Amino acid sequence: MNGFEVKEIKAEETYRVRHSELRKGRPLEECKFAGDERETTIHIGGFYQNQLVAVATFLKQDHADCGFQNAYQLRGMAVVKEHHKKGFGKILLTFAEALLLQKVIPCIWMNARIGAVDFYKKLGYGTIGNVFEIPKIGMHYVMFKKLY
Ligand SMILES: CC(C)(COP(=O)(O)OP(=O)(O)OC[C@H]1O[C@@H](n2cnc3c(N)ncnc32)[C@H](O)[C@@H]1OP(=O)(O)O)[C@@H](O)C(=O)NCCC(=O)NCCS
């Protein structure tokens, strides 16, 4: 969409959107993920009219069930509610996939909230295994996509 720009950002820039969209009403500390500051971690921000409205973080982390080494885990994917369904999430994730492919990363996986599963499916992600609960957050599926 016109006026939507995607680029790499710093960990601390993600916290505000993570907080409002993923950890509302909870301590800001819960918006910091283990590994946020690791050198291999990649944070992507989406800006609309120069305001940060979308974030996602990619951490170097394998998942036994995905069967890939050197995989990345997507965490903290969120678009500010008033901007949902404008294509911003899709643009951001597609940008991140291209970036990871350039780095020869074979696979992205995530613990996907039930409400986001169909969004990820539209972008080519598939579920593995059964639904499971993450305490205080809700039901999830592991989903993954092979990048090459
Ligand atoms: C899930 C989320 C990131 C999607 O972002 P978005 O910018 O609204 O999604 P897009 O507009 O790019 O949607 C891309 C496609 O997925 C569809 N889609 C988006 N959200 C969907 C949902 N929750 N369920 C089903 N389809 C969805 C869109 O209709 C669109 O389909 P199209 O290509 O056929 O037109 C956003 O809804 C969000 O931040 N949700 C709250 C936080 C959250 O749950 N994050 C995921 C944690 S695992």
Side-chain angles (χ1 to χ4, degrees), residues 77-135:
M77 166 101 212
V79 176
V80 170
K81 198 174 177 64
E82 66 177 291
H83 293 294
H84 282 185
K85 300 277 176 90
K86 293 181 179 176
F88 292 173
K90 180 177 178 174
I91 293 169
L92 186 147
L93 189 47
T94 304
F95 174 95
E97 287 173 1
L99 188 69
L100 289 175
L101 189 56
Q102 271 177 24
K103 295 176 187 288
V104 202
I105 302 305
C107 170
I108 296 173
W109 67 273
M110 78 284 284
N111 295 322
R113 292 181 180 208
I114 285 281
V117 165
D118 287 342
F119 163 74
Y120 292 121
K121 278 189 178 166
K122 285 205 161 175
L123 283 153
Y125 291 77
T127 60
I128 316 177
N130 298 320
V131 69
F132 64 98
E133 183 166 10
I134 298 182

Side-chain angles (χ1 to χ4, degrees), residues 14 18 65 90 104:
T14 65
R18 281 184 190 171
D65 297 339
K90 180 177 178 174
V104 202

Side-chain angles (χ1 to χ4, degrees), residues 3-22:
F4 187 67
E5 188 202 354
V6 184
K7 60 185 181 190
E8 283 192 56
I9 59 174
K10 294 196 176 84
E12 60 264 30
E13 293 178 86
T14 65
Y15 299 156
R16 183 178 51 79
V17 178
R18 281 184 190 171
H19 194 234
S20 67
E21 308 308 316
L22 295 165

Side-chain angles (χ1 to χ4, degrees), residues 31-86:
C31 298
K32 298 178 184 176
F33 301 154
D36 263 347
E37 303 292 347
R38 231 181 277 146
E39 206 180 307
T40 50
T41 300
I42 298 167
H43 304 278
I44 309 289
F47 293 79
Y48 181 63
Q49 296 179 339
N50 297 319
Q51 295 288 316
L52 182 68
V53 297
V55 297
T57 292
F58 297 83
L59 298 129
K60 187 166 164 28
Q61 181 73 51
D62 289 342
H63 188 291
D65 297 339
C66 295
F68 293 93
Q69 287 181 342
N70 207 23
Y72 267 67
Q73 178 183 9
L74 164 59
R75 291 198 67 189
M77 166 101 212
V79 176
V80 170
K81 198 174 177 64
E82 66 177 291
H83 293 294
H84 282 185
K85 300 277 176 90
K86 293 181 179 176

